[in-house]
Amino acid sequence: MSSPPLFPLPDPQARRWAMLCHYAAFFWFVAPLIGNVLGPLIVWQLQKERDPFVDWHGKEALNFQITYSILTMLCGVLAWIFIGFPLMVLVNLTALVLVVIAGVRANAGEAWRYPFCLRLVK
């Protein structure tokens, strides 16, 4: 796993947009199944040209939400043998905690990487 890039301290508005890239995953409550990916994707697409810090956090949030979606589908398949249910709880709690941590770190002006994340969007 590579370390996150170093950015000069971004302005407060760029930090807020970077934080929103992560917290947009909670759009899942409005549009289940796809909202967790659509939220960060929309925010990132609208604001990626604004600042490299926002662009980086948008990609990171989107990559994590894609990974989370894949894990959720895998847990759904494993639910047929009953191990998927406890795994689903673990995956959801872990994702919730990691999204909150990422949002806080983005608002603080830090470039933080999600652990256990496929980096598909470059």
Side-chain angles (χ1 to χ4, degrees):
M1 183 167 96
S2 64
S3 61
L6 295 175
F7 292 100
L9 187 63
D11 64 274
Q13 192 171 16
R15 290 184 294 171
R16 270 187 242 113
W17 279 113
M19 177 184 66
L20 191 59
C21 285
H22 296 286
Y23 290 161
F26 295 125
F27 188 60
W28 178 82
F29 292 115
V30 177
L33 302 178
I34 59 168
N36 65 310
V37 174
L38 278 181
L41 177 64
I42 291 168
V43 173
W44 174 56
Q45 286 297 313
L46 292 174
Q47 297 296 320
K48 69 181 178 180
E49 302 297 324
R50 168 178 228 302
D51 191 286
F53 184 72
V54 176
D55 182 43
W56 188 85
H57 273 281
K59 290 176 192 173
E60 190 68 16
L62 187 58
N63 280 325
F64 180 73
Q65 292 307 318
I66 291 169
T67 303
Y68 166 72
S69 296
I70 291 169
L71 289 174
T72 302
M73 287 186 263
L74 182 62
C75 288
V77 170
L78 291 175
W80 288 97
I81 57 173
F82 299 109
I83 192 153
F85 295 115
L87 282 176
M88 181 74 77
V89 171
L90 180 66
V91 166
N92 284 322
L93 287 175
T94 303
L96 175 68
V97 169
L98 291 176
V99 166
V100 169
I101 289 171
V104 169
R105 295 277 180 94
N107 196 37
E110 299 175 32
W112 185 76
R113 282 197 178 268
Y114 285 98
F116 323 114
C117 181
L118 300 172
R119 304 241 162 13
L120 303 172
V121 179
K122 304 234 180 229

